[in-house]
Amino acid sequence: PSSVPISRTRLEAQSDLYRAWSAADDVKNKAARLSDAATQELQKASGAAQVKVGAIEVYSPKYYAACTFGGLMACGFTHAAVTPLDLVKCRRQVDSKMYKGNFEAWGKIFRAEGFRGIATGWGPTFWGYSAQGAFKYGGYEIFKKFYADLAGEENAHRYKTSLYLAASASAEFFADIALCPLEAVKVRMQTTIPPFTRSTLGGISAITSKEGISGLYKGLYPLWGRQIPYTMVKFASFETIVEMIYHRLPGQKSDYGKGAQTAVSFAGGYLAGIFCAAVSHPADVMVSKLNASRLPGEAFGAAMGRIYKDIGFGGLWNGLPVRIVMIGTLTGLQWMIYDYFKIFMGLPTTGGAAP
């Protein structure tokens, strides 16, 4: 108990007389102490990491390496975490009559295969999107600086949205080459019942033994068609939304602490994710269909024409509500993790005033 007496007005209730009130205060105080202790530990770890790595100058090789690693962390873990949602989405895209809803789908899968069945495809998802995230976020920082230098300072500021679009498209082009083989394994694992393999390496081996290396890349064109517009919207809308948020908040971006900046990153990322899902969904359906049902030796254009004839325009939007929830959450978490890692390493967060 405090040695300093608490002064109360005549009409103020005495919290010590009400046990529920006192218990709630105890919980809040303990939570605050735990939060403060966790913050101190993170600050110590952040300081130790910065000392070990050394000063990181913005746009230096160390800076790009840190952004690449941050992108790897942001994408691999988040995509793997939503594998159950992705599993149902892919199966409903391939066969819209398979399940009536998500909960029915998870119930049927759990009864047939247990928890392992609900997590089908998490391995290639984790490795594939870790590689993709590294190329995407690291490449975006590289291309953003490259195009800004080409345009010059004045034009880079005037046409910054075009610069964001060009940089993100360039980065995603290479990121999809890294992702495509593992995306092919993931989709086949998730859309064959029972799964044609239980491991990532087993899936790669099974595909290459029958179709060669080209079998892993037969979905590359629709993957570019899905991911490049998705990433362009993801980065350009995120940068714009975050800038708008800071513009409407009092003060400057630098006035806000780590927690506030991370919260802005999550909010901006979630809103950007909603736009991303709507723009890229038809191509996402086509990727699932091509990886699941493209015939051996069938031309890309012929396969797309056959699939579109089967499903029609409405079929291109199967699973959109699930994907909006999934992509909005994913994008928000990815930007939050990525920017928090940048803070952890002593770097400025993405968006807002350019450094």
Side-chain angles (χ1 to χ4, degrees):
S2 174
S3 59
V4 181
I6 300 173
S7 60
R8 290 189 179 88
T9 65
R10 184 171 58 85
L11 300 177
E12 186 175 356
Q14 297 182 28
S15 60
D16 54 300
L17 298 180
Y18 302 94
R19 294 184 180 181
W21 189 349
S22 300
D25 283 344
D26 287 344
V27 171
K28 287 191 289 185
N29 291 335
K30 288 177 181 178
R33 287 195 295 271
L34 287 172
S35 176
D36 291 342
T39 301
Q40 290 176 3
E41 290 300 320
L42 282 171
Q43 288 175 347
K44 288 180 183 177
S46 175
Q50 292 178 39
V51 168
K52 187 173 182 180
V53 173
I56 300 178
E57 184 180 349
V58 177
Y59 306 134
S60 66
K62 279 186 180 181
Y63 173 78
Y64 295 128
C67 293
T68 299
F69 187 74
L72 183 152
M73 291 180 62
C75 290
F77 291 105
T78 51
H79 275 276
V82 296
T83 296
L85 267 175
D86 192 37
L87 170 65
V88 175
K89 173 189 71 72
C90 285
R91 288 188 178 179
R92 295 185 73 182
Q93 285 175 341
V94 172
D95 184 0
S96 60
K97 299 178 181 178
M98 184 177 292
Y99 307 117
K100 294 179 181 178
N102 296 337
F103 290 103
E104 180 196 47
W106 290 321
K108 286 184 175 180
I109 295 168
F110 178 76
R111 286 191 294 272
E113 306 172 56
F115 283 111
R116 184 177 184 181
I118 295 175
T120 298
W122 78 269
T125 297
F126 174 76
W127 296 113
Y129 282 93
S130 292
Q132 186 226 28
F135 279 94
K136 176 160 61 178
Y137 281 87
Y140 175 69
E141 300 288 353
I142 293 171
F143 282 112
K144 187 164 66 169
K145 180 67 165 63
F146 175 73
Y147 291 139
D149 288 343
L150 285 180
E153 185 176 350
E154 184 177 345
N155 287 330
H157 180 73
R158 180 180 300 172
Y159 304 109
K160 57 187 174 184
T161 301
S162 299
L163 187 147
Y164 299 150
L165 292 169
S168 56
S170 301
E172 189 61 37
F173 178 86
F174 295 101
D176 288 343
I177 296 173
L179 169 64
C180 191
L182 293 152
E183 178 76 1
V185 174
K186 176 192 79 75
V187 170
R188 293 201 193 186
M189 285 177 70
Q190 292 180 332
T191 55
T192 55
I193 304 173
F196 81 109
T197 182
R198 286 291 184 183
S199 68
T200 304
L201 293 177
I204 293 173
S205 178
I207 293 173
T208 54
S209 63
K210 291 182 179 179
E211 305 171 43
I213 298 295
S214 61
L216 296 172
Y217 285 94
K218 69 182 184 181
L220 181 59
Y221 294 148
L223 188 63
W224 275 332
R226 179 189 80 183
Q227 288 296 129
I228 290 178
Y230 163 88
T231 301
M232 291 170 73
V233 173
K234 173 180 178 176
F235 281 81
S237 60
F238 173 81
E239 296 263 16
T240 303
I241 290 168
V242 167
E243 187 174 345
M244 290 172 62
I245 292 173
Y246 283 120
H247 181 71
R248 282 162 176 74
L249 289 173
Q252 303 296 320
K253 175 182 175 180
S254 57
D255 297 332
Y256 294 91
K258 298 176 182 179
Q261 290 192 26
T262 306
V264 170
S265 296
F266 177 79
Y270 199 99
L271 292 173
I274 295 173
F275 296 116
C276 296
V279 167
S280 63
H281 192 73
D284 182 61
V285 173
M286 196 60 71
V287 168
S288 298
K289 285 283 191 179
L290 282 168
N291 277 306
S293 62
R294 186 176 176 183
L295 304 174
E298 187 178 23
F300 172 73
M304 286 191 65
R306 175 179 59 80
I307 292 170
Y308 184 79
K309 186 178 179 181
D310 290 340
I311 65 175
F313 180 77
L316 292 174
W317 302 97
N318 285 337
L320 178 60
V322 179
R323 192 159 184 267
I324 284 177
V325 174
M326 186 181 80
I327 296 299
T329 306
L330 272 177
T331 308
L333 289 173
Q334 284 172 7
W335 278 114
M336 184 179 73
I337 293 169
Y338 178 67
D339 273 347
Y340 192 83
F341 180 77
K342 290 176 78 173
I343 291 172
F344 185 83
M345 299 305 297
L347 301 172
T349 56
T350 313

